[in-house]
Amino acid sequence: MPQSVQADTVSLSLPFWEDFSTSQSSPDTLKWIYGPDIFVNATLGQNPPTYNVATFDGLNSQGMAYDITNEFNGAGDSLASQFIDLTTVPQSRRGTVYFSFYWQVGGYGEMPDDKDSLVLYFRNALGDGKFSWDQKWSKIGGEDNISDRFEQAIVKVDGGNYFHNEFQFKFVSYSSQRGPFDTWHIDYIYLNENRSDNDFDELDQAMTGSPTALFGNYYSIPANVFFKQPEQYLSAQMTQVSNLENDVDPLVYSYNLTNHTTGEDYGTSISVLTDVMVAREIRAVEVYDMDEIVVNAQTDPLDSQVLVSTFYYNSDNNFLQENDNGGNPVVYPVDLTLNDTLRTRYILENYYAYDDGTAEFAAAINTPGGQVAVRFPLAEPDTLTHIDIYIPNIAPESIGQTLDITVWNHLGTTPTNSGILTRQAYTIEAPLGVNTFKRIKLAAPLLTGDTVYIGYKQTSENYLGIGFDRNNQKAKGEIYANTKGFWEQNSRLSGSLMIRPVFAYDSAFTLHEVKKELTSVFPNPSSGIIKLKGEYNSLEVFDLSGHLVFTGLKEDTFDLSFLMDGIYLLKINSKNSINTQKLIISK
């Protein structure tokens, strides 16, 4: 079993309740004494009871396999609670203390086989300061446990000396040590008194699931692209709601879109449906009245912004409660409204992304000379400067292997007539963390058309997995492979490869907010003849490496046609400010 690097201990009291809905990428250290290797996410679980699950995925907190050379199973991810003081439970109620949780094998991740298992332990006090970990529940993988829903388990806290002031429970997965090949998910953990062995009824409703892409087929697009035509990219989102109660519940929810960077509120859509959620139901819901939100999403863009979409389920249950032996409700200070809100951040920066940033598994070819390409339709010609790619650390070892990173402007019927713009070798490095992209700088910036293909050519026959996101099924047809001497469009895998085109600027200058009262530049893109409208004193033009290529005092028109096609930065100097804008020259 892996050694636990323990956080500061905290003494908790009943009830213990955790659904991970407010956690970030790892468990809350106020509730968990160990769990940095556990991946908290909203995408790997299939139909989870609430937003976010704790995933046991076979990778440590740095995104590395525990032992990439070990062909035998062993203890991997572990999640252990903080100390819980059970001495406060009166002797008369100790027979009513139960521990429940939801679990799923596989989900959208890799399916464990019948040699893999997930085990629950309770910490038993043996006396004289000694303790043991007692196994209280376990499940093995395999086809028999496949389900598109989470199952609920309930375990009575009895059979040992568990009512001490340092009680703990922990989950441990026993699986492959060589990467994310065996995936388990845990959600909605609840330990309390006044319960019974059939207490599966939680008076709770929640938002759940992972919202669909906000920008059409994309989870992220450049800020300047979006704000030129928000109506073209901003699309209605869909997610799920969950009724954990053994009764019906009215279905009323709202949707809101805001700009986290500027503080702007683009609008709210409220959906009041005439039907209800039946007992233990999970249902898909989507945004209505998106047109008004699109109209409001008009602003002068910063070069990097964050939009936040929020779904809110208007449920009636606010606090956790159980009935005592007399049937009287006992209300506990656990805020159940925390899982009524599903809030998701979307990046507007300098890249396009089909993926949502989370790899459910890895996809690969193992043909020497084989090629993989992902098509990206662009809103306008631009200058490609980098490629982002996520290569997880899985067996067989990929660190030190090479790929030929490749950019095409079109894919031909044969390798000889494909339009290769550039190809350069890349030696794979260790990932910096789970789902952490490596940014590869191109040897020289590339001017693209309205479509670009990015990918790689494999130089060996080894399996070399690229992170694969299963949630964006719209991107399925954007993947192409060439393993037989001709290109084939993907028809088998549903999702997107985690590879992105980046339009960054290797310059000392940062694009600032374009204010209406400052100078405007048109046309843009331009063949080289530009006009400036507004008050300013002088103009400086820099290339992407930061070199000054032109300077001039105020004029209505400037002739920059002597410059090569590409992206340039215009530094417009006025009396009280400096305004930096991007200019595309395309002849």
Side-chain angles (χ1 to χ4, degrees), residues 20 25-27 34-41 53-57 59-61 66 76-80 171 173:
F20 305 100
S25 59
S26 59
Y34 185 76
D37 299 325
I38 302 301
F39 179 37
V40 176
N41 67 94
V53 299
T55 295
F56 298 68
D57 62 359
L59 296 176
N60 63 22
S61 58
Y66 283 99
D77 292 343
S78 177
L79 180 64
F171 292 94
S173 65

Side-chain angles (χ1 to χ4, degrees), residues 123-390:
R123 190 169 188 253
N124 184 20
L126 302 176
D128 297 327
K130 297 180 179 180
F131 297 88
S132 67
W133 285 102
D134 296 350
Q135 180 175 322
K136 303 299 291 187
W137 174 94
S138 67
K139 283 292 177 181
I140 62 172
E143 299 295 325
D144 292 342
N145 286 319
I146 293 178
S147 174
D148 62 355
R149 296 295 179 98
F150 276 66
E151 301 290 335
Q152 192 176 18
I154 190 165
V155 179
K156 189 174 184 178
V157 182
D158 69 351
N161 185 17
Y162 302 128
F163 290 89
H164 54 90
N165 62 359
E166 292 186 348
F167 174 78
Q168 288 177 280
F169 63 88
K170 71 176 178 181
F171 292 94
V172 180
S173 65
Y174 296 87
S175 57
S176 171
Q177 304 284 287
R178 307 180 72 192
F181 300 116
D182 309 300
T183 308
W184 302 84
H185 314 286
I186 296 293
D187 196 12
Y188 214 93
I189 299 169
Y190 178 34
L191 171 67
N192 202 7
E193 58 185 338
N194 294 317
R195 304 186 68 191
S196 65
D197 57 5
N198 62 354
D199 183 20
F200 294 105
D201 184 13
E202 316 298 351
L203 301 179
D204 196 4
Q205 294 80 34
M207 298 303 310
T208 187
S210 177
T212 53
L214 180 59
F215 309 113
N217 289 353
Y218 293 115
Y219 275 92
S220 183
I221 59 177
N224 65 309
V225 169
F226 171 72
F227 284 110
K228 283 182 180 178
Q229 292 182 300
E231 69 281 356
Q232 177 179 338
Y233 290 99
L234 203 60
S235 56
Q237 292 189 275
M238 179 178 293
T239 190
Q240 294 174 301
V241 294
S242 173
N243 179 25
L244 301 176
E245 190 175 356
N246 282 329
D247 203 351
V248 297
D249 188 74
L251 180 53
V252 181
Y253 64 96
S254 61
Y255 175 87
N256 174 251
L257 183 67
T258 59
N259 189 314
H260 180 76
T261 306
T262 65
E264 295 171 275
D265 189 328
Y266 296 144
T268 299
S269 170
I270 300 177
S271 299
V272 180
L273 303 186
T274 56
D275 55 352
V276 295
M277 292 279 286
V278 300
R280 319 288 285 189
E281 181 184 9
I282 294 178
R283 183 186 302 183
V285 295
E286 63 180 311
V287 184
Y288 296 91
D289 301 328
M290 195 70 177
D291 291 343
E292 182 177 349
I293 292 175
V294 171
V295 171
N296 291 335
Q298 306 281 348
T299 186
D300 294 324
L302 300 165
D303 58 302
S304 179
Q305 299 190 46
V306 176
L307 300 190
V308 178
S309 72
T310 303
F311 282 90
Y312 176 71
Y313 189 175
N314 302 66
S315 64
D316 297 327
N317 297 307
N318 295 329
F319 294 98
L320 190 67
Q321 71 177 48
E322 296 288 350
N323 293 329
D324 63 16
N325 292 337
N328 302 308
V330 180
V331 178
Y332 297 95
V334 173
D335 186 2
L336 296 181
T337 64
L338 293 175
N339 58 31
D340 293 348
T341 302
L342 191 162
R343 186 172 288 109
T344 311
R345 293 161 54 94
Y346 296 90
I347 305 297
L348 293 166
E349 195 170 345
N350 56 15
Y351 60 86
Y352 291 84
Y354 291 122
D355 65 272
D356 61 12
T358 301
E360 277 70 54
F361 59 90
I365 58 173
N366 58 357
T367 303
Q371 301 178 85
V372 173
V374 181
R375 178 178 61 188
F376 288 87
L378 308 179
E380 59 188 18
D382 211 331
T383 299
L384 182 70
T385 59
H386 300 75
I387 303 295
D388 281 353
I389 188 169
Y390 173 54

Side-chain angles (χ1 to χ4, degrees), residues 489-545:
Q489 188 176 26
N490 170 54
S491 61
R492 185 170 62 90
L493 297 176
S494 294
S496 59
L497 284 172
M498 295 178 69
I499 184 168
R500 304 167 172 177
V502 182
F503 305 89
Y505 307 102
D506 294 332
S507 170
F509 299 100
T510 302
L511 297 182
H512 298 287
E513 185 176 4
V514 181
K515 298 182 179 179
K516 291 182 180 179
E517 68 269 23
L518 296 181
T519 307
S520 60
V521 180
F522 60 95
N524 193 0
S526 168
S527 62
I529 308 298
I530 61 171
K531 296 183 178 182
L532 273 66
K533 182 178 181 180
E535 295 298 325
Y536 71 99
N537 297 327
S538 64
L539 171 69
E540 295 173 294
V541 182
F542 297 83
D543 63 20
L544 291 181
S545 63

Side-chain angles (χ1 to χ4, degrees), residues 86-123:
L86 295 187
T87 63
T88 60
V89 181
Q91 189 71 37
S92 61
R93 292 205 296 271
R94 292 188 175 183
T96 70
V97 178
Y98 282 81
F99 178 87
S100 63
F101 59 96
Y102 283 79
W103 63 276
Q104 185 178 60
V105 55
Y108 288 122
E110 291 288 343
M111 176 62 65
D113 59 34
D114 56 11
K115 297 179 181 178
D116 307 314
S117 62
L118 181 69
V119 180
L120 168 67
Y121 297 93
F122 287 170
R123 190 169 188 253

